[in-house]
Amino acid sequence: MNKDILLCGVGGQGTVLASKLIAAAAMTNGNTVHSAETIGMAQRGGSVTSHIRIGDKACSPLIPLGNADIIIAFEPAEAVRNLCYLKKDGMVIVNTVPVRPTTESLKPTGYDGTEMTDYLNKKCKCITVNSEELCAPLGSSKFFNVAVLGILIADGRIDIDRDTMINEINKRVPSKFVDINIKAFNLGGKFYEAQCNTAESGRYSD
C-alpha cells in the first residue's frame, strides 16, 4: 500500500493521536511508514499538521504539494489552508464545526465555517461531518479524532481493517478511555455507512 495522508486542525483537537493510530495500524500490517508533525503554537490554538506517508515509494516524511491521497481536517479553515497538498483525485474528510480564532473575539467576522465547506465541496470529493452531532451520544466532541478514523477505515481507501485499528486504540489510548473511544470509532463507521449506503452495513456495532 502506498498512501499519503495529511491531518490538520488546531491545538487540542487530537490530531497527533489520530495520526499516530493510523501510522501504528499501517506498520502492524507490515508497511513502511514515515510521519512528521508541524505543531507550532498548537497549545495556544494554533495550527497542527501531521503528515503520514505509507509505503516504500516515500523517501521523506513530508508530503509534497499535490500528492496527498486523503486530507483529514478537524477544522474547515485548516482544510482549505492545506488543500494545496491534495492530489486531483484525492478526498477530504472535514469537520464542519469551526474553531474561531482569538481575533474573532476582538473583531467579529461572522466566520462559521460554511463558506469553507462550500468551497471544499466545489473543489474536491469531500465528506463533511459535524463533530458535535456525530459525537453527541458520547457527551463530547473531543472524541471526534477517533470517530473520524471510523469514517476513514469504512471508506476503504487505505488497506487497514477495523480490527487492526481497534487493536491500536486498545494499545495506545489510556485504559479508562478505551471503551468510549471504540464507541467513537464505531459511530464514525456507522456515519459512513449511513451516508454512502455501503454494501457491508451493520459492521459497526457498539
Side-chain angles (χ1 to χ4, degrees):
M1 173 174 65
N2 288 282
K3 293 289 180 182
D4 287 343
I5 305 168
L6 186 139
L7 297 88
C8 56
V10 300
Q13 290 188 300
T15 305
V16 174
L17 174 60
S19 69
K20 289 185 182 300
L21 287 169
I22 295 170
M27 286 188 289
T28 295
N29 282 351
N31 294 286
T32 299
V33 179
H34 299 273
S35 65
E37 287 86 34
T38 304
I39 297 175
M41 296 296 288
Q43 290 183 339
R44 295 180 181 272
S47 298
V48 179
T49 305
S50 294
H51 296 241
I52 305 171
R53 309 197 72 189
I54 303 170
D56 296 328
K57 290 184 178 180
C59 57
S60 70
L62 296 179
I63 300 170
L65 295 178
N67 209 65
D69 298 281
I70 303 165
I71 292 178
I72 300 174
F74 293 79
E75 205 282 334
E78 293 300 319
V80 173
R81 188 197 311 276
N82 288 281
L83 195 60
C84 55
Y85 284 98
L86 191 70
K87 62 172 52 174
K88 288 184 178 180
D89 59 346
M91 179 184 72
V92 176
I93 306 173
V94 59
N95 176 19
T96 60
V97 179
V99 176
R100 293 177 176 83
T102 304
T103 51
E104 180 77 6
S105 63
L106 302 176
K107 187 178 180 181
T109 63
Y111 170 60
D112 63 0
T114 302
E115 186 176 351
M116 301 297 182
T117 53
D118 288 346
Y119 178 82
L120 290 167
N121 278 314
K122 292 176 183 177
K123 289 292 183 179
C124 60
K125 177 177 174 56
C126 189
I127 298 176
T128 57
V129 193
N130 184 306
S131 61
E132 293 178 350
E133 293 179 0
L134 178 63
C135 296
L138 306 173
S140 173
S141 60
K142 69 181 180 181
F143 301 106
F144 179 73
N145 64 327
V146 176
V148 76
L149 299 183
I151 298 172
L152 175 69
I153 299 305
D155 177 72
R157 287 174 185 253
I158 62 172
D159 189 19
I160 298 173
D161 63 36
R162 177 175 178 267
D163 290 341
T164 300
M165 185 59 75
I166 287 178
N167 186 50
E168 294 304 327
I169 293 170
N170 273 295
K171 289 194 296 185
R172 299 176 183 277
V173 171
S175 58
K176 63 181 179 179
F177 297 118
V178 165
D179 287 347
I180 195 166
N181 274 282
I182 290 175
K183 287 181 179 179
F185 177 78
N186 288 334
L187 280 174
K190 288 179 179 179
F191 171 87
Y192 182 88
E193 290 182 343
Q195 293 292 311
C196 301
N197 296 315
T198 57
E200 293 184 273
S201 60
R203 293 184 301 141
Y204 292 83
S205 57
D206 292 337

